[in-house]
Amino acid sequence: MREKAQGIPAASFGRGSITLVAVLLLVLAPVSIADGQAIEYERPVETAPQENDIGGGYVTPQVQKPRPRDFWLQVLDVALLAAALALSVWTVVTRRSRKGLVALSIGCLVYFGFYREGCVCPVGSIQNVVVALTDSKYSIPIVVTATFFLPLLVAVFFGRAFCGGVCALGAIQELVVWKPIQVPQRLERTLGLLKYVYLGLAIWFAVQPAISRDFLICRFDPFVGLFRRTGFPHMLMIGGGFLLAGLFIGRPYCRYLCPYGGLLEWCTRLAKRGVTITPAKELECGLCIESCPYAAIEQRRAVRRKCLYCARCYASCPHEGPLARAKAGLVTVSPPG
Amino acid sequence: MSEKPTRRDVLGTAARATVLAGLGGAAAFLVKKAQGQVVWQIDASKCVNSRLGEVGVEVCTRCTTDCVVSLSAVRAVNEYSRCGRCAICPAYFNITSAVDERGLPSEKRCPRDAIERKPIGDIDPEDPANNYFEYVIDEEKCDGCGKCVMGCKEPLGLGSIVLRVRYNLCVDCNRCAISTACPKDALFQMPVEEALKAVEIERHA
């Protein structure tokens, strides 16, 4: 078709049919088409006129094709995730610094949350990994694999360093904890099981055939709408609801719903290091228990699988952090006995 | 700690080694299977608005209504090399609307007035319709509603305007919200290079 059009001499015939319509319009329109009537439309060309049909030095404009985020930037995201995990371990386990942890939380919230819009997300990657493991036609990029496994790997050695300060979903809740109440232990345990139900459901919906597959964790991510500053009204409201509840119940999504938290709990059971209430230096004052909003200190010992690496216990301890430094040189506190 | 490791230590190390081997194995499997970056894109041969043979059907606006990005990450894109550059463009004008004093349809199709109609070269004042026009879509205004796409479809137009996912806007959701809403399952994840290619609309039987 196109060859035929180009075989016609110098842009005359292609225009001929346009002229025809034009003549029809100019001559007939005022006469035969009364006001309020439409033209009788007929397409004036059979094929698209090309540069030489149009002539006059016309150049066909380029169609803009914006490219997705570059690969090296995605690798940078993973590198930053690894760096943030290392920093979380160092700040909490080695430095025992709540201030450092808050700074890290803000940094990760800004980068992974508001800048990357919540989408360097090990939590959601559960689904991709499950589908890639079960569907032979589905594969995931290496960066997604790394995003999924890095926090688990760290958890096997140091516990839930990802939850403290690195995870954007966690960080936004961490920063709104205001007057946390202690949830009764039995209720805490029961609610804690919800995340495994959610994990099971998420896997079930993800392993469906491609057409009916659904990614529940992403669809019902309560905070991603806040990060993107746009989203479905009901999800924004649920996100706001979680933050509001989070003023009084520390990090409700992390403790009761986060499916990735469930996986991290399992890995953390193997961890040798992590947050420790040091018996040798202990005062038995119980301040750390009161300071923990996540019920992760039982019988004055840190329960690592529940510990979200917030370092509040260190900040509250007369033997650690700012309190100890303020007292240094004034009083010597020694363990009883 | 130079003491002899306890049973607990040994079991712990064994468990850790097992879990690490499991995680490592799964990761290795996934890495071996990896195929590079994939992105969401619309198959114009399936999309109701551009698919040939679907004439007289309602324009589907799910790309506008269901995308999580405000104003949608989908835009109508005019593939200039296939555009007829008609004086009366059925995608630009509502050709069923009444003719105005210029002899042109009085209504535009785009509800957001996102298409600009620019004459190519000089206009002959005696015969203004005997001219080619460039139709440029303002992507700041377009929300991907697909009305112009439907208007441009053959046989009215040449099908040069299609809906495309724009990667400067798309946030690459894990499970694209439009893909789950699309009545024709026209959204897929595909390799980047394929997703950026120019569109060829296949004729479905």
Side-chain angles (χ1 to χ4, degrees):
Chain A
M1 291 288 274
R2 187 155 295 169
E3 278 169 24
K4 194 178 155 195
Q6 280 170 350
I8 292 160
S12 58
F13 209 81
R15 282 197 176 197
S17 42
I18 296 185
T19 320
L20 199 71
V21 172
V23 168
L24 274 173
L25 280 174
L26 288 174
V27 177
L28 299 180
V31 188
S32 68
I33 302 177
D35 268 355
Q37 258 192 312
I39 52 159
E40 269 186 47
Y41 177 78
E42 199 185 326
R43 190 175 69 197
V45 289
E46 271 308 301
T47 50
Q50 299 300 309
E51 285 174 6
N52 47 354
D53 302 320
I54 297 165
Y58 172 78
V59 182
T60 310
Q62 282 283 312
V63 180
Q64 292 302 313
K65 292 200 169 139
R67 297 189 61 89
R69 196 173 165 81
D70 280 338
F71 181 72
W72 74 268
L73 282 171
Q74 299 182 7
V75 173
L76 177 75
D77 288 339
V78 174
L80 284 174
L81 176 69
L85 283 166
L87 238 132
S88 177
V89 171
W90 180 73
T91 314
V92 175
V93 178
T94 314
R95 288 275 326 280
R96 303 191 161 198
S97 159
R98 166 83 187 148
K99 262 190 197 158
L101 194 274
V102 171
L104 180 66
S105 296
I106 294 171
C108 288
L109 180 61
V110 168
Y111 187 81
F112 294 117
F114 289 101
Y115 173 62
R116 294 293 292 119
E117 304 192 323
C119 279
V120 183
C121 181
V123 185
S125 73
I126 296 175
Q127 303 153 128
N128 306 58
V129 167
V130 165
V131 178
L133 287 174
T134 51
D135 182 345
S136 59
K137 288 199 200 98
Y138 188 94
S139 68
I140 54 174
I142 292 171
V143 285
V144 179
T145 307
T147 306
F148 176 77
F149 284 101
L150 270 177
L152 292 177
L153 190 70
V154 172
V156 171
F157 294 100
F158 300 102
R160 303 171 67 170
F162 173 69
C163 302
V166 184
C167 177
L169 304 182
I172 194 170
Q173 294 174 84
E174 177 66 47
L175 297 175
V176 301
V177 175
W178 179 46
K179 284 198 158 100
I181 53 160
Q182 300 281 346
V183 179
Q185 221 172 59
R186 186 172 286 184
L187 185 63
E188 174 81 24
R189 260 190 214 141
T190 318
L191 287 174
L193 293 176
L194 277 178
K195 59 169 99 66
Y196 296 106
V197 177
Y198 193 23
L199 177 65
L201 278 174
I203 292 176
W204 173 252
F205 276 90
V207 297
Q208 298 301 310
I211 280 298
S212 51
R213 184 173 292 153
D214 203 348
F215 282 4
L216 288 194
I217 302 173
C218 299
R219 181 190 281 221
F220 297 110
D221 182 332
F223 303 115
V224 74
L226 302 177
F227 295 150
R228 290 174 177 162
R229 293 165 308 283
T230 171
F232 302 117
H234 65 279
M235 285 319 298
L236 287 171
M237 267 160 64
I238 292 174
F242 268 107
L243 288 184
L244 220 60
L247 295 172
F248 307 104
I249 304 164
R251 296 174 69 161
Y253 185 81
C254 309
R255 277 154 81 192
Y256 308 130
L257 279 173
C258 179
Y260 196 70
L263 299 182
L264 288 170
E265 270 190 29
W266 291 338
C267 289
T268 300
R269 282 171 189 273
L270 303 167
K272 262 187 160 174
R273 302 192 57 191
V275 171
T276 315
I277 311 293
T278 326
K281 286 167 115 186
E282 196 174 6
L283 295 168
E284 297 188 10
C285 65
L287 287 174
C288 51
I289 303 178
E290 280 170 39
S291 76
C292 180
Y294 312 126
I297 301 177
E298 287 170 10
Q299 273 106 43
R300 291 203 299 277
R301 290 292 170 271
V303 183
R304 284 190 190 145
R305 67 191 159 78
K306 287 197 197 168
C307 170
L308 299 178
Y309 258 66
C310 74
R312 276 194 185 77
C313 48
Y314 294 148
S316 74
C317 182
H319 260 178
E320 298 279 354
L323 283 177
R325 261 171 256 137
K327 282 179 195 160
L330 294 174
V331 204
T332 320
V333 192
S334 53
Chain B
M1 291 263 270
S2 56
E3 290 160 38
K4 208 177 142 203
T6 62
R7 179 195 277 269
R8 199 186 157 83
D9 289 335
V10 176
L11 284 176
T13 311
R16 213 168 295 126
T18 316
V19 169
L20 285 178
L23 291 179
F29 173 78
L30 293 174
V31 167
K32 210 176 155 197
K33 210 180 162 192
Q35 279 176 345
Q37 197 184 357
V38 289
V39 284
W40 293 99
Q41 190 50 280
I42 300 168
D43 182 345
S45 309
K46 288 191 171 174
C47 168
V48 134
N49 298 328
S50 50
R51 176 186 163 124
L52 294 176
E54 302 246 14
V55 186
V57 290
E58 286 278 302
V59 175
C60 170
T61 57
R62 297 307 286 266
C63 286
T64 311
T65 55
D66 285 74
C67 185
V68 299
V69 176
S70 57
L71 267 196
S72 183
V74 172
R75 292 287 181 269
V77 174
N78 190 5
E79 196 74 53
Y80 297 109
S81 63
R82 284 212 310 282
C83 177
R85 301 174 175 87
C86 316
I88 297 178
C89 168
Y92 181 81
F93 290 111
N94 174 5
I95 51 170
T96 59
S97 66
V99 171
D100 64 11
E101 66 280 1
R102 299 170 301 162
L104 298 170
S106 52
E107 286 172 21
K108 291 174 188 171
R109 239 176 197 275
C110 181
R112 301 174 59 83
D113 199 14
I115 311 180
E116 202 188 336
R117 180 174 181 262
K118 297 178 185 167
I120 297 173
D122 297 328
I123 298 183
D124 179 358
E126 299 287 305
D127 190 8
N130 184 16
N131 212 90
Y132 288 123
F133 288 84
E134 200 82 90
Y135 291 93
V136 181
I137 299 170
D138 181 352
E139 296 209 354
E140 300 269 304
K141 287 188 188 168
C142 174
D143 65 355
C145 73
K147 294 200 171 88
C148 59
V149 176
M150 190 64 109
C152 181
K153 179 152 71 176
E154 291 200 73
L156 285 179
L158 287 167
S160 69
I161 305 182
V162 284
L163 290 177
R164 303 295 275 165
V165 177
R166 300 307 251 171
Y167 300 115
N168 50 340
L169 306 167
C170 176
V171 291
D172 197 19
C173 288
N174 223 343
R175 187 85 189 137
C176 168
I178 308 172
S179 81
T180 50
C182 177
K184 296 284 176 188
D185 290 318
L187 260 92
F188 293 92
Q189 274 178 311
M190 53 182 86
V192 180
E193 294 316 317
E194 199 180 313
L196 290 173
K197 266 198 256 169
V199 186
E200 286 299 327
I201 300 171
E202 288 166 31
R203 285 164 199 275
H204 284 252

